[in-house]
Amino acid sequence: MTRTFALPVLLGLLIGTGSVARAASSNLLDPDAVLKSSLPAGTHIVMLGTGTPVPDASRAGASVAIVHNGQAYLFDVGAGSIQRAIEADSRLGIDELDPLRIGHVFLTHLHNDHTLDYAEWAGTLWWRRSNPLKSWGPEGLAAMTDGMYAMMGEDVRIRTSGSQPVLSPDAYRVGVTEIRPGKVFADNGIEVHAFPVPHGEVKPAYGYKIITSDRSIVISGDTAFSEELIRQSAGVDVLVHEVISDVGMRKLSEFWQNYHSSSHTTTRRLAEVARRARPKLLVLNHVLFYGETPDAVLSEIKTEYDGKVVLASDLDVF
Ligand SMILES: [Zn+2]
Ligand SMILES: [Zn+2]
């Protein structure tokens, strides 16, 4: 499997010449322009936000984009995810991540480190949008969306009652689907399946399995150790999984150790998940470090799992 490559590094070198950066940014915020993408054909994973609720200068809130056949599909939209998408378009030339081209958002659960940019994705330049957002997620998504409309009420009233040109007065509204386990989406050669995961008191919380003609990908969302996730992930090309450092967690109070054990997957348990599921690539994401370094967390996994594993940073492409 040679699909994994350090694209940001390669593109960073190219951008250094200046010409790629200018060419790549020319289409930003112009969804009617001919799509120009720096990505080769096939399905790609762009890590928009690898963070957690713990503020981190180098990590946006949780968000993973799957780019396939001219479209990008978002899985979670944590704070800062839209800024990372703009960077991916303007600096890396991934035109599919132009915010105005995005039409599909899937939410794993409604913890705010996974949702805070929802209004950004629906609201950015909404008066220039011709393709309103659609969203899929757990029960509660419709109520959350209504709350967003309330937040945007004055903006919508002002922009639609004055002289400002507005392409479609309803373009800020989102087509919401509250999902149940099973196939939740199929179009444009991509299938999205939702499955329940255990995440403490968050019920329901979902993981997603994405299938295209060239790749199978599982995104864990936030989850404790899950037999269902192991079943869904058996032999997939890429498993993007959350994790908490075992060493870091042991420094916490008993309350927080218990809380995290029922809500998240420790490095030791994730190694077991990976040994049993055998993904071709394991991507560590949404890492709760608790003072441990990325290298240390990676070695916690590697001492107990001999497969291919990386720890994701924002804007990594797999
Ligand atoms: Zn989270
Ligand atoms: Zn969560």
Side-chain angles (χ1 to χ4, degrees):
M1 187 76 183
T2 56
R3 183 71 63 119
T4 307
F5 49 97
L7 187 67
V9 174
L10 288 171
L11 289 169
L13 292 171
L14 290 170
I15 286 167
T17 66
S19 58
V20 171
R22 277 192 297 278
S25 63
S26 60
N27 276 349
L28 183 63
L29 303 177
D30 182 5
D32 298 324
V34 175
L35 184 88
K36 290 190 294 185
S37 181
S38 59
L39 294 175
T43 307
H44 304 276
I45 304 167
V46 183
M47 306 301 292
L48 294 183
T50 59
T52 68
V54 182
D56 186 326
S58 63
R59 297 181 187 275
S63 187
V64 178
I66 303 294
V67 179
H68 168 78
N69 202 12
Q71 292 278 327
Y73 303 83
L74 304 184
F75 293 81
D76 290 330
V77 283
S81 57
I82 198 165
Q83 185 62 29
R84 288 287 189 260
I86 292 165
E87 288 177 58
D89 187 342
S90 61
R91 290 181 33 225
L92 305 183
I94 305 174
D95 247 16
E96 294 92 335
L97 283 166
D98 183 328
L100 297 190
R101 291 184 189 269
I102 301 290
H104 304 83
V105 171
F106 299 84
L107 297 178
T108 59
H109 65 299
L110 301 184
H111 265 155
N112 72 351
D113 54 313
H114 298 250
T115 65
L116 279 173
D117 260 8
Y118 189 52
E120 288 264 28
W121 284 101
T124 295
L125 293 181
W126 68 264
W127 50 95
R128 282 172 53 182
R129 280 194 83 116
S130 52
N131 60 330
L133 218 57
K134 295 194 184 94
S135 67
W136 290 258
E139 197 182 329
L141 178 58
M144 189 182 83
T145 306
D146 286 343
M148 179 185 73
Y149 297 156
M151 187 192 83
M152 290 177 63
E154 270 303 277
D155 177 78
V156 171
R157 186 189 65 73
I158 293 162
R159 292 189 193 280
T160 54
S161 61
S163 59
Q164 178 179 333
V166 172
L167 212 53
S168 160
D170 289 330
Y172 68 95
R173 296 185 74 86
V174 180
V176 173
T177 304
E178 292 189 344
I179 62 173
R180 303 187 73 75
K183 191 197 291 186
V184 297
F185 179 81
D187 190 30
N188 188 36
I190 184 167
E191 275 184 19
V192 179
H193 301 255
F195 58 92
V197 290
H199 183 38
E201 292 160 353
V202 183
K203 293 183 175 77
Y206 291 106
Y208 286 106
K209 183 170 189 173
I210 299 106
I211 302 169
T212 68
S213 60
D214 63 313
R215 285 187 117 180
S216 55
I217 298 159
V218 164
I219 295 172
S220 72
D222 284 6
T223 183
F225 177 88
S226 163
E227 290 288 344
E228 175 67 8
L229 182 138
I230 292 172
R231 200 176 69 77
Q232 296 282 347
S233 307
V236 291
D237 291 309
V238 186
L239 170 58
V240 180
H241 203 294
E242 70 119 79
V243 69
I244 178 169
S245 161
D246 241 322
V247 177
M249 195 178 81
R250 282 201 294 270
K251 300 173 199 162
L252 304 178
S253 69
E254 192 182 344
F255 170 84
W256 281 107
Q257 292 199 35
N258 290 337
Y259 177 87
H260 284 314
S261 297
S262 67
S263 296
H264 298 291
T265 307
T266 62
T267 38
R268 170 157 292 178
R269 302 275 2 231
L270 180 54
E272 181 185 344
V273 169
R275 283 196 305 270
R276 289 172 55 193
R278 298 309 300 186
K280 294 188 180 72
L281 173 67
L282 171 63
V283 177
L284 308 186
N285 184 40
H286 193 281
V287 182
L288 288 162
F289 292 100
Y290 285 110
E292 297 304 299
T293 63
D295 281 348
V297 172
L298 207 45
S299 15
E300 284 179 43
I301 294 279
K302 284 183 171 175
T303 53
E304 301 196 39
Y305 175 59
D306 63 0
K308 192 169 179 185
V309 53
V310 293
L311 191 149
S313 299
D314 286 17
L315 295 180
D316 277 353
V317 180
F318 300 107

